[in-house]
Amino acid sequence: MPSHIIQTRENTSLPARIALSAATAQGAHLSTEDFGDWLAGRGRANTFRVERIPFAELDGWSFQESTGNLVHRSGRFFTVEGLHVTEEGEPYGDGPYAEWYQPIIKQPEVGILGILVKEFDGVLHFLMQAKMEPGNPNLLQLSPTVQATRSNYTKAHKGADVKYIEYFVGPNRGRTIADVLQSEHGSWFYRKSNRNMVVEAVGDVPLLDDFCWLTLGQIHELLRRDNVVNMDSRTVLSCLPFADAADGALLSDIELHSWITGERTRHSVRAERVPLESIPGWKRGDSTIEHEEGRYFNVVAVSVQAGNREVTGWTQPLFEPVGLGVTAFLTREFGGVPHVLVHARVEGGFLDTVELGPTVQCTPDNYAHLPEKERPRFLDTVLRAGPDRIRYEVVHSEEGGRFLNAESRFLVVEADEADAPLDPPPGYAWVTPGQLTYLVRHGHYLNVQARTMLACLNATAVRTR
């Protein structure tokens, strides 16, 4: 049997091994108490600098004369283009817009987000990396073992080898625990997917600078801290094969699949790439592409120095949201079983029509000028929630390789019948965390925000209240 196929005995015990790691609060190599000093030390050991620059100072990037698209001279990496989205048919989702234009990132290649695991003292440990990304608010966050686009690990940038990539590609990689294609941000990427992988190492693994072994319990503790565990780590962690018992779910698995299929068919969405220079409502200056009303996000340019990256200096565009986001699950118990309220979301960049998102996923400032009936459903319920109703709250940032200072409050809020009824509005459904664990084993069911929320649920007592 090939080494990357888990044998039946191992597969049967895997949820128990994951659960043991999640219950282990201290690792064999680095204590949770010492982690903050370790991360700060990795920051001091390297030189990091990010500066905003005018578009004219981008090296290798330029606006195409024919389209106005922002492209790299190599034809690799990504492009910033325009997108025209229209939604027809049955009533559309949150907000008042059935048609809009926006900039979008087109990056057709599939990257690898991979975490290597290995047993120490009988407990699975996860090899995590202190990785600098130019868009991170604090620059250095905890990333997967490998976080690389195809351009990175095929060395299109002419840089150094991606560390540990051999454990995730080729015939001699380790034993696969999880391997699934998942979507990137559908609001900012056009049909972008990454390969989310968890691989168990066979044999000794050298420990390189900027990497550390942590138990899942330690990572769960770090998920309670602002801007420590990056988005790529969170999406991979959501794919772990926890025990997925869904006993007591309001919807059976068949009913849940049928509901998702119905949501995908009742929305008719057309997303068409168009020249960046032609999108109405957006204007380009020397240093910024921005919406004429100052909402949503800006496209900016930065110059980067990072002493420990495969390439130590470069320039690039980044998307910068306007305002702090709110991403939240409302939760209730039915028959003693915890459920969360998911939303079948339409986003212009999705490969399929909809994916399941959190109950609330938006930047409130973008809707502040609208009457309450046109604001996202359940937003005001989340914003009004008192401390006694909030079961989890932390600030996480989005992927720092493409987004600048993209932060959101991630919350789990306990609701009642008045806040979130047993029979929810169209486009919403009550599901158990176990059902989400089942769905995330398959690509393009949960969006990246819902996957972060699932990782957070696994890190808190909400899952087992």
Side-chain angles (χ1 to χ4, degrees), residues 257-303:
H257 275 284
S258 178
W259 176 77
I260 295 170
T261 302
E263 289 299 311
R264 286 177 168 172
T265 54
R266 82 178 179 92
H267 293 276
S268 177
V269 181
R270 179 179 178 183
E272 180 183 9
R273 292 158 53 206
V274 297
L276 182 62
E277 66 181 7
S278 71
I279 56 176
W282 295 81
K283 57 184 180 181
R284 189 179 100 195
D286 293 338
S287 303
T288 307
I289 300 172
E290 59 186 340
H291 193 268
E292 60 188 13
E293 295 177 347
R295 301 191 183 103
Y296 311 119
F297 60 90
N298 301 326
V299 183
V300 300
V302 296
S303 173

Side-chain angles (χ1 to χ4, degrees), residues 413-430:
V413 177
E414 187 170 330
D416 56 25
E417 181 67 19
D419 295 325
L422 172 63
D423 184 16
Y428 294 82
W430 290 105

Side-chain angles (χ1 to χ4, degrees), residues 235-247:
T235 179
V236 177
L237 292 169
S238 76
C239 299
L240 285 171
F242 281 91
D244 62 354
D247 295 340

Side-chain angles (χ1 to χ4, degrees), residues 144-159:
T145 318
V146 167
Q147 176 185 319
T149 66
R150 183 172 179 83
S151 291
N152 289 143
Y153 67 80
T154 60
K155 301 175 68 172
H157 49 35
K158 310 299 183 185

Side-chain angles (χ1 to χ4, degrees), residues 42-54:
R42 298 323 305 159
R44 291 190 298 269
N46 298 284
T47 300
F48 302 124
R49 188 170 75 245
V50 178
E51 297 178 345
R52 295 173 186 258
I53 59 174

Side-chain angles (χ1 to χ4, degrees), residues 53-69:
I53 59 174
F55 291 128
E57 294 183 14
L58 283 169
D59 181 17
W61 296 85
S62 61
F63 292 97
Q64 280 184 329
E65 290 187 9
S66 58
T67 64
N69 293 345

Side-chain angles (χ1 to χ4, degrees), residues 325-329 358 360-362 398 408-411 449-450 453:
V326 170
T327 304
F329 267 143
V360 173
Q361 176 192 318
C362 71
E398 301 303 333
S408 289
R409 292 173 63 210
F410 283 81
L411 301 109
Q449 289 85 355
M453 291 301 308

Side-chain angles (χ1 to χ4, degrees), residues 78-117:
F78 62 95
T79 60
V80 180
E81 306 179 2
L83 190 72
H84 178 206
V85 183
T86 56
E87 184 176 355
E88 301 173 351
E90 299 221 11
Y92 47 91
D94 283 343
Y97 308 112
E99 178 181 15
W100 70 91
Y101 292 83
Q102 66 168 90
I104 197 82
I105 297 172
K106 177 70 165 62
Q107 186 175 351
E109 62 184 22
V110 174
I112 289 179
L113 307 178
I115 296 179
L116 193 65
V117 302

